[in-house]
Amino acid sequence: MSDIVRMVVVLSLIAGVCSTALTAANILLGPQIEKQTDLYVRGPALERLFGKPAAEVLGNKVIITAGEQEIPVFFTREDQTVSTLAIEAIGKGGFGGDLKIMVGIDLGAGNMTGMEVVSHSETPGLGARIEEISFRRQWKGLPVSDTVALIDDGGTLDAISGATTTSGAAVRGTNEALLFVRDYQDEILKTISELK
Amino acid sequence: MGQKLLSTLTAGLWKRIPPFRLVLGLCPALAVTMSAENGLGMGIATAFVLTLSNGAVSALRNIIPSKVRIASYIVIIATLVSIVEILMKAYFFPLAEQLGIYIPLIVVNCIVLGRAEGFASKNPPLISMIDGLSVGAGYALSLTLIGSVREIFGAGSWFGMPVFGESFEPMTFLVSAPGAFVTIGALLALQNLYSRWRGEKFIQG
Amino acid sequence: MDLIYLAISATFVNNILLAQYLGNCPFLGVSKKLGTAVGMAAAILFVTILASVFTWSVFTYILKPYKLEFLQTLTFILIIASLVQLVEIILKKKSRALYNALGVYLALITTNCAVMGVALLIAKNELSFIAMLVFSSASAIGYGLALILFAGIRERLVLSAVPQSMQGTAIALVTAGIMALAFMGFQGMAS
């Protein structure tokens, strides 16, 4: 009997020590990983949305809590006023899972500067063509006040042929981001002004 | 004692060098050796896990009841691998992205469990760690070699630096999947040939 | 349509053994005889699907909602290891015939990176439940296909005159390379 007790005690002790060590490592290095993820994963999308080197804009980041979600928002300033926002959104229901996209918003003009895909797991040759410029550039200049939709659903955006599911996910993500910016714009600006 | 430490230290570099002599850990050797840099990164990550897991297993060898030893080893190894994964994501992000799922797969690399069960569970901590270091270094060396061969002939560069100049037409075959198998097979045959030439009594399984 | 595409891609184009290099140790170890290869393929199919269902559930309902993704490696390997043990015990009790056929291979599967690899790929791509089922079974079928074909080739290889230095693992690896080359021909099927 004592053998079994010993087995259980030793095994649970090892498991306990190990998970504590892991949790500690994760808490300790979490912020560093976040920084690296921003630089390498979000960096390229931000560069294209803002037309500035990633290193300049990566620090301009606030996290806004909307309901249960925490949404990362990046911004740039022009003459001290916040001119452009980049909002990360999840495009639900892509074929290979959810898409992570970033929507650029020009606050002065009230329209979008573009849509960029941060990460996706779509099929190469079909859904993965969402990264192509011919699809993405359709977003430029669309007004923030209206929801976007694919042509099939009475909107203006051309879906990628053979990948309607993926295109739909990008559209849903964009609408999420637009809804968020309409509802939370004041809060975003307030959070940014409190940053310094 | 010093003699034994030294012979353990050098054993991993030739006598037991994985994956050629000790035919274990082939999957990462095939998968991540597209370039010398990836091979070296994977080798160092594995060596790190191997050294520490050997040390931990050896230190605990008298405490762990033999019935649950494999389970305990797996927990220890999985923890070390996760820590390596976190460290790599924090400091070598592009490399971590390139190696992808092959970093967590160090857990099921037979070398790590094999050395824990075959060496560390029977020897004191210091010599076990040296064994881990030596086998790990041998593995890192092999992976870098495989990566170098594939990168030099398959892409015309070494650690990202071009070596052959403009006129060289790279053999893309080598950096693709089949090239990995053929490269390792050829290197293994060369190693056998050398061993036979030296008259070493060693026959590859 | 997308699911069929996923199945073809996992079985042929991105064959887990020849294109993703997962599960090579048993590939070289048990492929000397056709009979053992078939047994191993069946065991892999069984365990991969079962393990995928379990790891997928744990990942989707526990690890992800509570932001515990860093425990992924630890939980996955523990789930797979205990699952293999459990299957072994149940088979021993309930179905002696099946146990006799698969038993030896089950023990080897814990350290088979194919099972763990499929689980990790599913978690990484955040597949849905149906996609997960299709992907895991197609991957396992692809693995079995490559393993059985390769065993057939190796049985012939024994009879041929191979240079002394190339004997054993070396020639097996080169043969696998040629097979991988053949599988590359499937690439056109999925683009």
Side-chain angles (χ1 to χ4, degrees), chain B residues 93-143:
Chain B
F93 194 86
L95 185 65
E97 285 285 289
Q98 287 248 312
L99 298 180
I101 64 160
Y102 296 99
I103 302 176
L105 281 177
I106 298 176
V107 174
V108 283
N109 190 325
C110 342
I111 299 178
V112 183
L113 200 59
R115 291 325 281 170
E117 167 75 2
F119 194 96
S121 62
K122 302 183 192 90
N123 290 290
L126 180 64
I127 197 162
S128 298
M129 283 181 82
I130 289 180
D131 175 74
L133 187 67
S134 133
V135 173
Y139 193 56
L141 213 64
S142 308
L143 290 195

Short mmCIF file of all heavy atoms in Angstrom, two decimals, chain B residues 93-143:
data_model
loop_
_atom_site.label_atom_id
_atom_site.label_comp_id
_atom_site.label_asym_id
_atom_site.label_seq_id
_atom_site.Cartn_x
_atom_site.Cartn_y
_atom_site.Cartn_z
N PHE B 93 12.45 34.82 -32.12
CA PHE B 93 11.12 34.60 -32.65
C PHE B 93 11.08 34.05 -34.08
O PHE B 93 10.39 33.07 -34.34
CB PHE B 93 10.29 35.89 -32.54
CG PHE B 93 8.85 35.68 -32.75
CD1 PHE B 93 8.03 35.31 -31.71
CD2 PHE B 93 8.28 35.82 -34.02
CE1 PHE B 93 6.68 35.09 -31.90
CE2 PHE B 93 6.93 35.60 -34.22
CZ PHE B 93 6.14 35.24 -33.16
N PRO B 94 11.85 34.64 -35.02
CA PRO B 94 11.78 34.12 -36.40
C PRO B 94 12.19 32.65 -36.48
O PRO B 94 11.56 31.86 -37.19
CB PRO B 94 12.77 35.00 -37.17
CG PRO B 94 12.93 36.22 -36.34
CD PRO B 94 12.74 35.79 -34.93
N LEU B 95 13.25 32.27 -35.72
CA LEU B 95 13.69 30.88 -35.72
C LEU B 95 12.59 29.98 -35.14
O LEU B 95 12.30 28.91 -35.68
CB LEU B 95 14.98 30.74 -34.91
CG LEU B 95 15.63 29.36 -34.93
CD1 LEU B 95 16.10 29.02 -36.32
CD2 LEU B 95 16.78 29.29 -33.94
N ALA B 96 11.96 30.45 -34.06
CA ALA B 96 10.89 29.66 -33.43
C ALA B 96 9.75 29.44 -34.41
O ALA B 96 9.18 28.36 -34.48
CB ALA B 96 10.40 30.35 -32.17
N GLU B 97 9.43 30.49 -35.21
CA GLU B 97 8.36 30.34 -36.20
C GLU B 97 8.74 29.34 -37.28
O GLU B 97 7.92 28.55 -37.72
CB GLU B 97 8.09 31.70 -36.86
CG GLU B 97 7.33 32.67 -35.99
CD GLU B 97 5.85 32.33 -35.88
OE1 GLU B 97 5.13 32.50 -36.86
OE2 GLU B 97 5.43 31.88 -34.79
N GLN B 98 10.01 29.37 -37.69
CA GLN B 98 10.49 28.45 -38.73
C GLN B 98 10.44 27.01 -38.24
O GLN B 98 10.05 26.12 -38.98
CB GLN B 98 11.96 28.78 -39.06
CG GLN B 98 12.12 30.04 -39.86
CD GLN B 98 12.60 29.72 -41.24
OE1 GLN B 98 13.54 28.97 -41.42
NE2 GLN B 98 11.93 30.27 -42.22
N LEU B 99 10.86 26.77 -37.02
CA LEU B 99 10.91 25.40 -36.51
C LEU B 99 9.51 24.91 -36.17
O LEU B 99 9.25 23.72 -36.17
CB LEU B 99 11.83 25.30 -35.29
CG LEU B 99 13.30 25.66 -35.56
CD1 LEU B 99 14.12 25.52 -34.30
CD2 LEU B 99 13.88 24.77 -36.65
N GLY B 100 8.60 25.83 -35.85
CA GLY B 100 7.18 25.52 -35.66
C GLY B 100 6.93 24.37 -34.71
O GLY B 100 7.45 24.34 -33.60
N ILE B 101 6.14 23.40 -35.17
CA ILE B 101 5.73 22.32 -34.28
C ILE B 101 6.89 21.38 -33.93
O ILE B 101 6.75 20.53 -33.08
CB ILE B 101 4.57 21.48 -34.84
CG1 ILE B 101 5.00 20.75 -36.12
CG2 ILE B 101 3.33 22.30 -35.08
CD1 ILE B 101 4.10 19.58 -36.43
N TYR B 102 8.03 21.53 -34.61
CA TYR B 102 9.12 20.61 -34.30
C TYR B 102 9.79 20.93 -32.96
O TYR B 102 10.50 20.09 -32.42
CB TYR B 102 10.14 20.58 -35.44
CG TYR B 102 9.51 20.03 -36.70
CD1 TYR B 102 9.04 20.85 -37.70
CD2 TYR B 102 9.31 18.67 -36.82
CE1 TYR B 102 8.42 20.34 -38.81
CE2 TYR B 102 8.67 18.14 -37.93
CZ TYR B 102 8.23 18.98 -38.92
OH TYR B 102 7.60 18.46 -40.01
N ILE B 103 9.57 22.11 -32.41
CA ILE B 103 10.10 22.38 -31.07
C ILE B 103 9.33 21.58 -30.02
O ILE B 103 9.93 20.81 -29.27
CB ILE B 103 10.09 23.88 -30.74
CG1 ILE B 103 10.89 24.65 -31.77
CG2 ILE B 103 10.69 24.13 -29.36
CD1 ILE B 103 10.85 26.14 -31.57
N PRO B 104 7.98 21.70 -29.95
CA PRO B 104 7.29 20.83 -28.98
C PRO B 104 7.52 19.35 -29.25
O PRO B 104 7.46 18.55 -28.31
CB PRO B 104 5.81 21.20 -29.14
CG PRO B 104 5.72 22.12 -30.27
CD PRO B 104 7.06 22.70 -30.50
N LEU B 105 7.83 19.00 -30.48
CA LEU B 105 8.03 17.58 -30.79
C LEU B 105 9.35 17.03 -30.25
O LEU B 105 9.59 15.84 -30.34
CB LEU B 105 7.93 17.34 -32.29
CG LEU B 105 6.50 17.28 -32.84
CD1 LEU B 105 6.50 17.10 -34.33
CD2 LEU B 105 5.72 16.15 -32.20
N ILE B 106 10.19 17.90 -29.66
CA ILE B 106 11.40 17.38 -28.99
C ILE B 106 11.00 16.39 -27.90
O ILE B 106 11.72 15.47 -27.58
CB ILE B 106 12.25 18.53 -28.40
CG1 ILE B 106 12.72 19.47 -29.50
CG2 ILE B 106 13.47 18.00 -27.67
CD1 ILE B 106 13.48 20.67 -28.98
N VAL B 107 9.79 16.61 -27.34
CA VAL B 107 9.28 15.71 -26.29
C VAL B 107 9.33 14.26 -26.73
O VAL B 107 9.71 13.38 -25.97
CB VAL B 107 7.82 16.07 -25.94
CG1 VAL B 107 7.25 15.07 -24.97
CG2 VAL B 107 7.73 17.44 -25.38
N VAL B 108 8.91 14.00 -27.97
CA VAL B 108 8.86 12.62 -28.43
C VAL B 108 10.11 12.22 -29.20
O VAL B 108 10.14 11.17 -29.83
CB VAL B 108 7.61 12.36 -29.30
CG1 VAL B 108 6.39 12.23 -28.44
CG2 VAL B 108 7.42 13.43 -30.33
N ASN B 109 11.16 13.06 -29.13
CA ASN B 109 12.42 12.68 -29.74
C ASN B 109 13.01 11.53 -28.91
O ASN B 109 13.29 11.68 -27.73
CB ASN B 109 13.37 13.87 -29.74
CG ASN B 109 14.59 13.63 -30.57
OD1 ASN B 109 15.09 12.50 -30.61
ND2 ASN B 109 15.08 14.65 -31.22
N CYS B 110 13.19 10.38 -29.57
CA CYS B 110 13.61 9.20 -28.81
C CYS B 110 14.97 9.39 -28.13
O CYS B 110 15.26 8.73 -27.15
CB CYS B 110 13.65 7.95 -29.67
SG CYS B 110 12.76 8.06 -31.20
N ILE B 111 15.80 10.30 -28.64
CA ILE B 111 17.11 10.48 -28.02
C ILE B 111 16.96 10.89 -26.56
O ILE B 111 17.63 10.37 -25.67
CB ILE B 111 17.93 11.58 -28.74
CG1 ILE B 111 18.18 11.20 -30.18
CG2 ILE B 111 19.26 11.78 -28.04
CD1 ILE B 111 18.93 12.27 -30.93
N VAL B 112 16.05 11.85 -26.31
CA VAL B 112 15.94 12.41 -24.97
C VAL B 112 15.47 11.35 -23.98
O VAL B 112 16.11 11.12 -22.94
CB VAL B 112 14.97 13.62 -24.97
CG1 VAL B 112 14.91 14.24 -23.60
CG2 VAL B 112 15.40 14.64 -26.00
N LEU B 113 14.39 10.66 -24.32
CA LEU B 113 13.87 9.62 -23.43
C LEU B 113 14.87 8.46 -23.37
O LEU B 113 15.09 7.87 -22.31
CB LEU B 113 12.52 9.13 -23.95
CG LEU B 113 11.64 8.41 -22.92
CD1 LEU B 113 11.35 9.32 -21.74
CD2 LEU B 113 10.34 7.96 -23.55
N GLY B 114 15.50 8.18 -24.50
CA GLY B 114 16.46 7.09 -24.55
C GLY B 114 17.65 7.30 -23.62
O GLY B 114 18.06 6.41 -22.89
N ARG B 115 18.21 8.52 -23.60
CA ARG B 115 19.35 8.81 -22.72
C ARG B 115 18.89 8.85 -21.26
O ARG B 115 19.65 8.46 -20.37
CB ARG B 115 20.03 10.14 -23.08
CG ARG B 115 20.78 10.19 -24.37
CD ARG B 115 21.48 8.93 -24.74
NE ARG B 115 22.74 8.69 -24.06
CZ ARG B 115 23.42 7.55 -24.11
NH1 ARG B 115 22.94 6.54 -24.82
NH2 ARG B 115 24.55 7.41 -23.48
N ALA B 116 17.67 9.36 -21.01
CA ALA B 116 17.17 9.41 -19.63
C ALA B 116 17.05 7.99 -19.08
O ALA B 116 17.51 7.70 -17.97
CB ALA B 116 15.81 10.11 -19.59
N GLU B 117 16.45 7.12 -19.87
CA GLU B 117 16.22 5.74 -19.41
C GLU B 117 17.51 4.93 -19.45
O GLU B 117 17.83 4.19 -18.53
CB GLU B 117 15.15 5.10 -20.32
CG GLU B 117 15.00 3.61 -20.20
CD GLU B 117 14.27 3.19 -18.94
OE1 GLU B 117 13.86 4.07 -18.18
OE2 GLU B 117 14.15 1.97 -18.72
N GLY B 118 18.31 5.11 -20.52
CA GLY B 118 19.47 4.26 -20.72
C GLY B 118 20.70 4.69 -19.95
O GLY B 118 21.55 3.88 -19.63
N PHE B 119 20.84 5.99 -19.64
CA PHE B 119 22.06 6.43 -18.98
C PHE B 119 21.77 7.12 -17.64
O PHE B 119 22.25 6.69 -16.59
CB PHE B 119 22.83 7.39 -19.90
CG PHE B 119 24.25 7.64 -19.46
CD1 PHE B 119 25.30 6.90 -20.00
CD2 PHE B 119 24.55 8.60 -18.51
CE1 PHE B 119 26.61 7.11 -19.59
CE2 PHE B 119 25.85 8.82 -18.09
CZ PHE B 119 26.88 8.07 -18.63
N ALA B 120 20.93 8.16 -17.67
CA ALA B 120 20.76 9.00 -16.48
C ALA B 120 20.14 8.25 -15.32
O ALA B 120 20.42 8.56 -14.15
CB ALA B 120 19.92 10.22 -16.82
N SER B 121 19.30 7.26 -15.59
CA SER B 121 18.64 6.56 -14.49
C SER B 121 19.59 5.61 -13.76
O SER B 121 19.23 5.04 -12.74
CB SER B 121 17.43 5.78 -15.00
OG SER B 121 17.84 4.81 -15.92
N LYS B 122 20.81 5.46 -14.28
CA LYS B 122 21.75 4.55 -13.64
C LYS B 122 23.01 5.24 -13.16
O LYS B 122 23.87 4.63 -12.52
CB LYS B 122 22.15 3.43 -14.62
CG LYS B 122 20.99 2.63 -15.14
CD LYS B 122 21.49 1.50 -16.03
CE LYS B 122 20.36 0.87 -16.80
NZ LYS B 122 20.12 1.51 -18.09
N ASN B 123 23.19 6.53 -13.48
CA ASN B 123 24.44 7.22 -13.17
C ASN B 123 24.20 8.49 -12.36
O ASN B 123 23.12 9.06 -12.40
CB ASN B 123 25.17 7.57 -14.46
CG ASN B 123 25.72 6.34 -15.15
OD1 ASN B 123 26.66 5.71 -14.67
ND2 ASN B 123 25.08 5.95 -16.23
N PRO B 124 25.24 8.95 -11.61
CA PRO B 124 25.10 10.18 -10.83
C PRO B 124 24.93 11.41 -11.72
O PRO B 124 25.27 11.38 -12.91
CB PRO B 124 26.41 10.25 -10.03
CG PRO B 124 27.32 9.25 -10.65
CD PRO B 124 26.49 8.26 -11.36
N PRO B 125 24.42 12.51 -11.14
CA PRO B 125 24.03 13.69 -11.92
C PRO B 125 25.13 14.28 -12.80
O PRO B 125 24.88 14.54 -13.98
CB PRO B 125 23.61 14.70 -10.85
CG PRO B 125 23.21 13.89 -9.69
CD PRO B 125 24.06 12.66 -9.72
N LEU B 126 26.35 14.47 -12.26
CA LEU B 126 27.37 15.18 -13.04
C LEU B 126 27.66 14.47 -14.35
O LEU B 126 27.61 15.07 -15.44
CB LEU B 126 28.66 15.33 -12.21
CG LEU B 126 29.78 16.07 -12.95
CD1 LEU B 126 29.38 17.52 -13.24
CD2 LEU B 126 31.09 16.03 -12.18
N ILE B 127 27.95 13.17 -14.25
CA ILE B 127 28.31 12.43 -15.45
C ILE B 127 27.12 12.31 -16.41
O ILE B 127 27.28 12.32 -17.64
CB ILE B 127 28.93 11.05 -15.09
CG1 ILE B 127 29.67 10.48 -16.31
CG2 ILE B 127 27.88 10.07 -14.61
CD1 ILE B 127 30.64 9.40 -15.95
N SER B 128 25.89 12.27 -15.83
CA SER B 128 24.70 12.21 -16.69
C SER B 128 24.56 13.49 -17.50
O SER B 128 24.21 13.46 -18.68
CB SER B 128 23.44 12.02 -15.84
OG SER B 128 23.51 10.82 -15.16
N MET B 129 24.83 14.62 -16.82
CA MET B 129 24.72 15.90 -17.53
C MET B 129 25.77 15.98 -18.62
O MET B 129 25.51 16.48 -19.72
CB MET B 129 24.84 17.07 -16.56
CG MET B 129 23.56 17.29 -15.77
SD MET B 129 23.65 18.67 -14.65
CE MET B 129 23.32 20.03 -15.73
N ILE B 130 26.97 15.47 -18.31
CA ILE B 130 28.03 15.48 -19.33
C ILE B 130 27.64 14.60 -20.51
O ILE B 130 27.82 14.97 -21.68
CB ILE B 130 29.38 15.04 -18.72
CG1 ILE B 130 29.87 16.14 -17.80
CG2 ILE B 130 30.40 14.73 -19.80
CD1 ILE B 130 31.17 15.87 -17.14
N ASP B 131 27.03 13.45 -20.20
CA ASP B 131 26.55 12.58 -21.28
C ASP B 131 25.51 13.30 -22.14
O ASP B 131 25.58 13.27 -23.36
CB ASP B 131 25.95 11.30 -20.68
CG ASP B 131 25.33 10.42 -21.75
OD1 ASP B 131 26.09 9.80 -22.49
OD2 ASP B 131 24.08 10.38 -21.84
N GLY B 132 24.59 13.98 -21.46
CA GLY B 132 23.55 14.72 -22.19
C GLY B 132 24.17 15.78 -23.07
O GLY B 132 23.81 15.93 -24.25
N LEU B 133 25.12 16.51 -22.50
CA LEU B 133 25.80 17.59 -23.23
C LEU B 133 26.51 17.03 -24.45
O LEU B 133 26.44 17.58 -25.55
CB LEU B 133 26.79 18.28 -22.30
CG LEU B 133 27.46 19.53 -22.86
CD1 LEU B 133 26.43 20.63 -23.02
CD2 LEU B 133 28.58 19.99 -21.95
N SER B 134 27.20 15.89 -24.24
CA SER B 134 28.00 15.33 -25.32
C SER B 134 27.13 14.78 -26.45
O SER B 134 27.36 15.07 -27.63
CB SER B 134 28.94 14.27 -24.74
OG SER B 134 28.94 13.12 -25.48
N VAL B 135 26.10 14.01 -26.08
CA VAL B 135 25.20 13.49 -27.11
C VAL B 135 24.47 14.65 -27.80
O VAL B 135 24.31 14.68 -29.02
CB VAL B 135 24.19 12.48 -26.52
CG1 VAL B 135 23.17 12.08 -27.56
CG2 VAL B 135 24.92 11.25 -26.02
N GLY B 136 24.06 15.65 -26.99
CA GLY B 136 23.38 16.82 -27.54
C GLY B 136 24.26 17.58 -28.51
O GLY B 136 23.83 17.99 -29.58
N ALA B 137 25.54 17.76 -28.12
CA ALA B 137 26.48 18.48 -28.99
C ALA B 137 26.69 17.70 -30.29
O ALA B 137 26.73 18.27 -31.38
CB ALA B 137 27.80 18.70 -28.28
N GLY B 138 26.79 16.37 -30.15
CA GLY B 138 26.94 15.54 -31.34
C GLY B 138 25.74 15.69 -32.27
O GLY B 138 25.89 15.81 -33.49
N TYR B 139 24.56 15.73 -31.67
CA TYR B 139 23.33 15.89 -32.45
C TYR B 139 23.31 17.24 -33.15
O TYR B 139 22.99 17.33 -34.34
CB TYR B 139 22.13 15.73 -31.51
CG TYR B 139 20.81 15.56 -32.21
CD1 TYR B 139 20.61 14.54 -33.13
CD2 TYR B 139 19.74 16.40 -31.93
CE1 TYR B 139 19.40 14.37 -33.75
CE2 TYR B 139 18.52 16.24 -32.54
CZ TYR B 139 18.34 15.23 -33.45
OH TYR B 139 17.14 15.06 -34.07
N ALA B 140 23.68 18.29 -32.39
CA ALA B 140 23.71 19.63 -32.98
C ALA B 140 24.68 19.68 -34.15
O ALA B 140 24.40 20.27 -35.20
CB ALA B 140 24.10 20.66 -31.92
N LEU B 141 25.84 19.02 -33.97
CA LEU B 141 26.86 18.96 -35.01
C LEU B 141 26.30 18.28 -36.26
O LEU B 141 26.44 18.77 -37.38
CB LEU B 141 28.05 18.17 -34.47
CG LEU B 141 29.43 18.57 -34.94
CD1 LEU B 141 29.75 19.97 -34.46
CD2 LEU B 141 30.46 17.58 -34.41
N SER B 142 25.65 17.12 -36.05
CA SER B 142 25.10 16.37 -37.19
C SER B 142 24.06 17.20 -37.92
O SER B 142 24.07 17.26 -39.14
CB SER B 142 24.43 15.08 -36.71
OG SER B 142 25.28 14.35 -35.92
N LEU B 143 23.15 17.82 -37.13
CA LEU B 143 22.08 18.59 -37.78
C LEU B 143 22.67 19.75 -38.57
O LEU B 143 22.20 20.07 -39.67
CB LEU B 143 21.09 19.12 -36.73
CG LEU B 143 20.19 18.12 -36.03
CD1 LEU B 143 19.05 18.82 -35.32
CD2 LEU B 143 19.62 17.12 -37.01
#
